[in-house]
Amino acid sequence: SATVAWAGCDTTSGDTCTVAVSGVRAVTATFTVPTYTLQVQTTGTGSGTVTTDKGGIDCTSGSPPTGTCSADFPLASPATSVTASASPQAGSFFAGWATCAGGASTPTCSVAVDANKVLVADFEAGSPLRIRTVGGGTVTSSDTKGDCGSTGTACVAGYNPTDTVPPTAAPHSGYLFSAWGGGPSTAGNTCQIPCGPGALAPARVTKT
């Protein structure tokens, strides 16, 4: 609900103004609607811009970021719904939202501004390699770019053709590595670089 600020009162108590009418008196009540702040932040080794369909956010990654990176929205019922869109710059790709509901990897994220909230967009340098594990196993790399830890989890790694550390599939106990899907170049359980940039490369393991 709105808050009120009084001017010209003898005394005030919350929403109440007390004044002795001993002549011409002027009393002013100023009503303010509470607001919530939506803030955009960026992370990662790449660069890009986040815009919103409401509030005028237009935030470009950097240290510090440039442009408009926050906006205030009035308390409302239902809460104001804002859609943020992430656009990577040349040489980068969008890897996902760190704080969007469900950890969305799509370039848009819709959020209900029912409290002060922060959206974090992850921009990474290089070409995207999308990895998903199928069965009981994980995908790892010594540079941690290609780590995809949970079975069935989709993750995004950024690789350039000059990178030399490929992701490797590691089956859980009781499983054997079966194959890489998605048409990448492979050598055993290792996915060679470049390994199908922009495409989903499932690491498949089968139960023994």
Side-chain angles (χ1 to χ4, degrees), residues 113-206:
V113 188
D114 54 5
N116 293 328
K117 292 190 174 181
V118 177
L119 278 179
V120 181
D122 183 5
F123 295 103
E124 299 293 341
S127 299
L129 169 63
R130 303 184 186 278
I131 302 170
R132 178 170 58 88
T133 55
V134 180
T138 61
V139 175
T140 60
S141 62
S142 60
D143 63 359
T144 71
K145 285 184 179 181
D147 287 0
C148 193
S150 302
T151 298
T153 299
C155 58
V156 182
Y159 283 99
N160 290 307
T162 55
D163 288 338
T164 57
V165 182
T168 300
H172 289 161
S173 176
Y175 288 81
L176 292 173
F177 175 74
S178 175
W180 288 94
S185 173
T186 61
N189 63 338
T190 298
C191 185
Q192 300 300 304
I193 302 298
C195 177
L200 182 68
R204 302 180 184 278
V205 291
T206 56

Side-chain angles (χ1 to χ4, degrees), residues 42-47 61 95 120-125:
T42 61
T43 187
T45 59
S47 56
S61 59
V120 181
D122 183 5
F123 295 103
E124 299 293 341

Side-chain angles (χ1 to χ4, degrees), residues 1-76:
S1 61
T3 58
V4 61
W6 292 101
C9 304
D10 292 329
T11 60
T12 61
S13 177
D15 295 340
T16 302
C17 167
T18 302
V19 58
V21 185
S22 56
V24 177
R25 300 288 299 269
V27 174
T28 303
T30 302
F31 295 91
T32 303
V33 177
T35 60
Y36 293 125
T37 300
L38 176 63
Q39 182 181 6
V40 167
Q41 298 176 358
T42 61
T43 187
T45 59
S47 56
T49 299
V50 176
T51 58
T52 57
D53 64 337
K54 300 182 184 73
I57 291 178
D58 190 343
C59 184
T60 299
S61 59
S63 184
T66 57
T68 303
C69 296
S70 66
D72 292 333
F73 296 89
L75 183 152

